[in-house]
Amino acid sequence: MRLLLHICCGPCAVYPVSVLEEEGVDFEGLFYNPNIHPYDEFVRRKENVGEFAKIKNFSVKYMDDFSQDIWEKLGEDNENRCNMCYTVRIDKVAQFAKENGFDAFTTTLLVSPYQKHELIVELSEKAAQKYGLTFYYKDFRPGFRQGQQWAKELGLYRQKYCGCIISYRESEKLKNERKKSK
Ligand code: SF4
């Protein structure tokens, strides 16, 4: 089985990659995250994935799509915005997997307790059916803290917000409120 691993960022990739290695899965990574804002953050996360892949010696493809408009338009409505964000990314990953001879795909989004896990699973299953692929499901969440610790030890950049412009604004707001209360 050839598996395509969608990678949302370096730190989230650490634990899932350790599991795939342990299980002897033949995999390649794909960075496709047009949601990440601002552009320098997009580049930083992308390069960080490259650094990690180099350390672990696996191959990664990159899609340079960067598009903020749709995320901004959906604004504060987290449910619709995240649904769209996962749908766009998962569908593209499954399409890429199909077009490039992979049998299965999965995503590092499944490691984070902060993501909408059940929704990611549901959308991935739909995409797998649409493209005639296997969705390689693993609940990586029990390894999240361990993965973050390994990422720290490897010196990987660990971002403080999910990715889109709205999550960026929310984190900036929180940062300013914390500063004020000191
Ligand atoms: S909060 Fe995260 S998952 Fe939701 S839209 Fe923003 S980047 Fe995507």
Side-chain angles (χ1 to χ4, degrees):
M1 178 186 72
R2 269 186 86 217
L3 177 114
L4 183 66
L5 174 67
H6 167 244
I7 301 180
C8 60
C9 67
C12 282
V14 176
Y15 184 74
V17 163
S18 77
V19 172
L20 295 178
E21 281 179 338
E22 216 171 272
E23 295 188 349
V25 177
D26 174 17
F27 75 95
E28 274 180 46
L30 175 67
F31 181 90
Y32 173 67
N33 302 290
N35 52 313
I36 299 168
H37 172 95
Y39 186 67
D40 54 356
E41 176 75 14
F42 175 85
V43 172
R44 194 172 187 190
R45 291 194 199 183
K46 181 181 150 192
E47 287 176 356
N48 206 35
V49 168
E51 264 177 54
F52 176 60
K54 212 165 149 191
I55 294 169
K56 298 300 277 183
N57 197 26
F58 67 89
S59 139
V60 188
K61 300 267 184 321
Y62 301 90
M63 286 184 173
D64 280 329
D65 309 38
F66 170 80
S67 89
Q68 271 309 313
D69 298 1
I70 34 177
W71 277 265
E72 177 121 52
K73 268 183 208 143
L74 287 172
E76 307 296 326
D77 180 352
N78 279 357
E79 213 170 307
N80 274 341
R81 199 182 70 246
C82 296
N83 193 326
M84 176 280 294
C85 185
Y86 298 140
T87 303
V88 165
R89 288 187 283 168
I90 290 166
D91 190 84
K92 181 72 89 182
V93 169
Q95 187 188 1
F96 183 95
K98 185 69 186 176
E99 288 171 359
N100 290 278
F102 290 89
D103 310 295
F105 70 91
T106 194
T107 171
T108 59
L109 289 165
L110 293 169
V111 78
S112 171
Y114 304 110
Q115 300 290 339
K116 296 172 174 43
H117 193 90
E118 282 70 29
L119 181 58
I120 295 165
V121 173
E122 189 191 318
L123 295 169
S124 298
E125 279 167 352
K126 270 191 201 157
Q129 215 173 18
K130 178 176 169 188
Y131 292 99
L133 295 163
T134 299
F135 166 47
Y136 187 88
Y137 174 64
K138 287 268 170 199
D139 185 353
F140 294 118
R141 288 174 297 181
F144 179 71
R145 299 274 161 226
Q146 177 66 79
Q148 292 293 314
Q149 181 57 32
W150 284 336
K152 190 177 174 188
E153 288 163 14
L154 291 170
L156 296 178
Y157 162 60
R158 289 171 305 140
Q159 68 275 359
K160 300 279 182 282
Y161 63 101
C162 190
C164 66
I165 187 162
I166 309 296
S167 61
Y168 171 74
R169 282 185 193 141
E170 281 166 2
S171 82
E172 286 297 294
K173 199 172 145 198
L174 263 178
K175 207 163 81 185
N176 290 334
E177 281 168 5
R178 276 197 208 111
K179 261 190 213 159
K180 273 186 206 155
S181 67
K182 273 185 190 168

